[in-house]
Amino acid sequence: MLVSYSSSSEEETEHLQLGGDVTKRKQSWHKDDNSLRKKHKSEEHKAREDDDSKSRLPVPGSVLDMFTEEDEDPPTEDSMQHGGRIRSFKHERGNWATYVFFPYIPEDGFLELLDEMTEVAASHSFSLTRTDEFHLSLSKTVVLRHHWIQPFIQSLRTGLAHGRRFICLAEKLKVYSNDEKTRTFLAVEVSTGQAQLLELMKAVDSTMEEFNLDTFYKNPSFHISLAWCVGDCTEHFRKECLQELQGLVDSHEDGPFLLRLDCQELRCKSGNKTFSIPLH
């Protein structure tokens, strides 16, 4: 019987081939195992993120508002787009023009009377523009940083917590100019209710001092502005037509026109936000 034996070289070749196959299989197993581990880690990480998002409390809106400084209508410095008005201070992002006031809702006959006065002023070469929103100011216009608004309003509410409602009456026309002498205002001065206005003004001044802002005038002349024109025309206006305009008020068809302001609710306007502070 003949027996064939494989040579040592053939055995080595076969051994190498088998070893190579085993190595490839091991590498494939390791690769699959690593992929599986990565998949499990990714799924665990995602599950933890989902759990965190479910357990995380929502941020209060009041906190989010503190960091929202975008202006809905970015202001322009072109005075021609504002009827010739010039800003008292340059607009800067995050700075909000702020003032405290009583709103005045026009009574029957008021707007018709104002139109008559505007026509008379025009006959004397004064081009008056009706005020956008009629109001009685209890503060100067100051600048607040956005994150001061809520604390500022809270301070006002605390200081005005015991304020009482009352009635203001106004009938005498007066002419004013702003601090910068860039505009002249035709207004009607308060004759009844001054004592109550002074008390409220002191409370508002206290908040202004707390935030290192300008307080109101020392000897204020409380008034409601009716119309305005560009430039400082106070003296010329008084001499030329103030008496004639007062005659229109005094000879109103139903008797002297008496402007009545129901002081029930103070307001504070800061930028494009308006806050109400009711009196008791």
Side-chain angles (χ1 to χ4, degrees):
M1 173 184 278
L2 296 176
V3 179
S4 62
Y5 296 93
S6 61
S7 66
S8 61
S9 61
E10 290 175 347
E11 289 177 351
E12 289 174 359
T13 301
E14 184 179 356
H15 178 72
L16 289 173
Q17 289 174 346
L18 290 172
D21 291 341
V22 172
T23 301
K24 288 179 180 179
R25 283 197 294 271
K26 287 182 178 180
Q27 290 175 345
S28 177
W29 293 339
H30 286 309
K31 184 177 181 181
D32 291 342
D33 187 49
N34 288 336
S35 298
L36 190 60
R37 287 179 181 175
K38 288 180 179 179
K39 182 179 179 181
H40 285 316
K41 287 182 178 179
S42 176
E43 290 176 349
E44 290 175 0
H45 181 67
K46 184 178 179 181
R48 283 196 298 270
E49 286 184 339
D50 290 342
D51 290 341
D52 289 344
S53 63
K54 289 178 182 178
S55 61
R56 193 178 299 128
L57 293 174
V59 180
S62 59
V63 175
L64 291 174
D65 288 343
M66 291 174 65
F67 302 97
T68 304
E69 297 190 0
E70 291 82 1
D71 294 330
E72 292 181 0
D73 298 308
T76 173
E77 300 298 330
D78 186 359
S79 63
M80 296 305 295
Q81 296 186 26
H82 300 281
R85 288 175 291 181
I86 300 174
R87 286 184 175 276
S88 299
F89 42 82
K90 186 178 179 181
H91 173 79
E92 293 182 11
R93 190 175 181 81
N95 284 354
W96 293 57
T98 303
Y99 62 99
V100 181
F101 64 99
F102 276 117
Y104 170 65
I105 300 174
E107 306 158 78
D108 292 340
F110 170 78
L111 295 179
E112 290 82 356
L113 177 59
L114 182 54
D115 286 340
E116 290 182 41
M117 289 192 285
T118 301
E119 290 176 4
V120 170
S123 69
H124 292 274
S125 301
F126 295 105
S127 179
L128 292 179
T129 300
R130 183 188 294 181
T131 302
D132 295 332
E133 297 178 350
F134 302 109
H135 66 273
L136 185 152
S137 295
L138 281 179
S139 78
K140 294 182 180 180
T141 298
V142 296
V143 176
L144 274 183
R145 295 295 296 171
H146 186 269
H147 59 275
W148 288 356
I149 294 176
Q150 289 296 339
F152 182 86
I153 297 301
Q154 185 55 53
S155 176
L156 280 178
R157 286 180 172 149
T158 300
L160 297 164
H162 301 292
R164 298 289 180 180
R165 298 177 180 180
F166 59 100
I167 300 293
C168 277
L169 300 176
E171 56 186 326
K172 183 181 179 181
L173 294 178
K174 289 194 70 172
V175 183
Y176 301 85
S177 67
N178 59 357
D179 292 341
E180 295 77 23
K181 306 295 183 183
T182 57
R183 283 200 290 167
T184 299
F185 296 87
L186 174 65
V188 58
E189 187 181 32
V190 169
S191 56
T192 302
Q194 292 177 329
Q196 294 94 322
L197 289 173
L198 281 170
E199 287 302 312
L200 294 177
M201 185 201 75
K202 290 177 182 177
V204 174
D205 277 352
S206 179
T207 291
M208 293 294 180
E209 290 173 347
E210 180 182 344
F211 286 81
N212 294 318
L213 299 170
D214 288 343
T215 56
F216 207 40
Y217 304 99
K218 289 185 177 180
N219 298 303
S221 172
F222 296 111
H223 62 273
I224 299 170
S225 293
L226 308 177
W228 59 273
C229 63
V230 176
D232 183 8
C233 311
T234 50
E235 290 302 321
H236 188 45
F237 200 99
R238 289 188 187 109
K239 292 177 181 178
E240 292 291 328
C241 64
L242 185 60
Q243 187 174 354
E244 186 176 352
L245 295 179
Q246 185 66 55
L248 289 176
V249 174
D250 296 340
S251 61
H252 192 258
E253 57 185 18
D254 296 324
F257 186 86
L258 194 62
L259 187 148
R260 176 189 172 95
L261 177 61
D262 195 353
C263 301
Q264 296 186 26
E265 180 181 89
L266 263 175
R267 293 182 187 174
C268 178
K269 187 167 185 177
S270 186
N272 54 15
K273 300 177 184 292
T274 301
F275 303 87
S276 298
I277 307 172
L279 301 181
H280 302 289

